[in-house]
C-alpha cells in the first residue's frame, strides 16, 4: 500500500511539472509576436497618432497673397468725384470697379482709382465720335481729367507735360486709334508709370483714356 501511495504522488508531481512547462513555453511563443506587432505599425498610423497627440509633421501652410495697396477702389474713386463736385451723381459698376458719371447730354466719365499690387488711376472721357478729329480739344480734355481726378503727383505731371508740349504721338497701325506718351525729362528711377492717353473710336463714340499707376 505504501508503494502504491508513493507511486501516485510521483505521477501527480510529473503531471504538474509538465503543465507548468507547457504554459511557460506558450508564453514565450506569444510575447515576441506582440512586440513585433507594435514595431510594424504602418507609418501612416504613426503619423495619425502623432497628429492626435498634437504633433504635426510635414504640414505646409498655404501661401497668402498680400496686397501692397489698399484695395478700396470704391472709396478712392468716389472720393475723387466728390472732391471735383460734391453734388455729382454716379453709378457704381461692381464688375469693373468703376464709377459711371453722366456729365451732360453727350459726354460721360468712367473713373476707377485703386488696386492691389498696382495702384492705378484710370479716367475715360466719352464723347461724340465727331470729336475724334479735334485733337487739340481732346488733349485739353486729357489735361482736365488729370487735374480734376488724379492725385499723388499724377495730376501735376500730366498737367505740366501737356502745358509744355512734352508729349508725342506714337505710331499705330490703326486709323481709329491714337496713343500719346509724355516726354519725361526726369530720368530718376521711380515706381510711377505714366502710360499716357489713348483716343479711340468705339461705335458712335470717342473714348479718351488717361492712365497712371504706382507699382
Amino acid at each position: 500500500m505504501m508503494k502504491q501511495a508513493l507511486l501516485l504522488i510521483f505521477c501527480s508531481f510529473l503531471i504538474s511539472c509538465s503543465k507548468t512547462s507547457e504554459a511557460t513555453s506558450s508564453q514565450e511563443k506569444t510575447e515576441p509576436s506582440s512586440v513585433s506587432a507594435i514595431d510594424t505599425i504602418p507609418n501612416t498610423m504613426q503619423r495619425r497618432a502623432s497628429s492626435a497627440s498634437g504633433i504635426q509633421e510635414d504640414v505646409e501652410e498655404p501661401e497668402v497673397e498680400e496686397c501692397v495697396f489698399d484695395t478700396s477702389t470704391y472709396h478712392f474713386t468716389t472720393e475723387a468725384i466728390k472732391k471735383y463736385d460734391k453734388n455729382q451723381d454716379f453709378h457704381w459698376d461692381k464688375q469693373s470697379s468703376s464709377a459711371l458719371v453722366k456729365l451732360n447730354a453727350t459726354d460721360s466719365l468712367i473713373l476707377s482709382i485703386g488696386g492691389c499690387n498696382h495702384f492705378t488711376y484710370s479716367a475715360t472721357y466719352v464723347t461724340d465720335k465727331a470729336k475724334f478729329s479735334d485733337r487739340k480739344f481732346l488733349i485739353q480734355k486729357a489735361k482736365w481729367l488729370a487735374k480734376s481726378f488724379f492725385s499723388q503727383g499724377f495730376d501735376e505731371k500730366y498737367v505740366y507735360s501737356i502745358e509744355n508740349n512734352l508729349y508725342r504721338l506714337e505710331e499705330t497701325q490703326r486709323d481709329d486709334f491714337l496713343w500719346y506718351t509724355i516726354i519725361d525729362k526726369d530720368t530718376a528711377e521711380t515706381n510711377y508709370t505714366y502710360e499716357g492717353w489713348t483716343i479711340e473710336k468705339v461705335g458712335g463714340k470717342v473714348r479718351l483714356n488717361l492712365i497712371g499707376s504706382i507699382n
Side-chain angles (χ1 to χ4, degrees), residues 3 16 27 34 48 54 57 64 70-71 84 97 101 106 109-110 114 137 149 170 179 182 204:
K3 288 183 180 181
S16 176
Q27 184 177 4
S34 177
R48 290 176 185 173
E57 299 177 359
V64 178
D70 188 335
T71 58
Y84 171 72
S97 296
V101 182
T106 59
L109 168 71
I110 304 172
F137 168 81
F149 304 104
E170 303 289 345
W179 176 28
I182 66 171

Side-chain angles (χ1 to χ4, degrees), residues 13-104:
F13 176 76
L14 290 176
I15 293 171
S16 176
C17 290
S18 176
K19 289 182 178 181
T20 303
S21 176
E22 289 176 358
T24 303
S25 176
S26 175
Q27 184 177 4
E28 290 176 351
K29 290 180 180 179
T30 55
E31 285 181 354
S33 63
S34 177
V35 172
S36 176
I38 294 174
D39 290 341
T40 57
I41 294 177
N43 291 334
T44 54
M45 294 299 292
Q46 291 178 4
R47 286 196 292 270
R48 290 176 185 173
S50 298
S51 176
S53 63
I55 302 174
Q56 297 183 352
E57 299 177 359
D58 300 330
V59 177
E60 295 183 1
E61 294 292 336
E63 294 183 1
V64 178
E65 183 179 356
E66 296 183 357
C67 285
V68 178
F69 302 99
D70 188 335
T71 58
S72 182
T73 305
Y74 177 85
H75 169 74
F76 294 115
T77 305
T78 57
E79 185 179 52
I81 293 173
K82 294 303 179 182
K83 184 178 179 180
Y84 171 72
D85 183 355
K86 64 180 180 180
N87 297 318
Q88 178 66 61
D89 293 329
F90 63 88
H91 169 72
W92 182 254
D93 184 0
K94 292 183 179 180
Q95 186 173 0
S96 63
S97 296
S98 59
L100 310 179
V101 182
K102 187 175 179 61
L103 300 174
N104 52 48

Side-chain angles (χ1 to χ4, degrees), residues 140-195:
Q140 289 304 309
K141 282 298 180 182
K143 174 184 170 181
W144 172 75
L145 289 174
K147 185 177 181 179
S148 302
F149 304 104
F150 287 11
S151 59
Q152 299 194 68
F154 288 99
D155 48 349
E156 298 172 358
K157 189 76 168 183
Y158 275 126
V159 169
Y160 176 82
S161 298
I162 292 173
E163 287 181 345
N164 292 275
N165 295 318
L166 294 175
Y167 57 87
R168 59 173 167 261
L169 177 61
E170 303 289 345
E171 292 186 8
T172 64
Q173 302 298 320
R174 293 168 51 187
D175 296 332
D176 60 349
F177 180 81
L178 304 173
W179 176 28
Y180 289 86
T181 58
I182 66 171
I183 301 171
D184 193 355
K185 294 184 177 181
D186 185 1
T187 59
E189 292 187 6
T190 177
N191 60 340
Y192 280 54
T193 302
Y194 302 92
E195 299 180 24

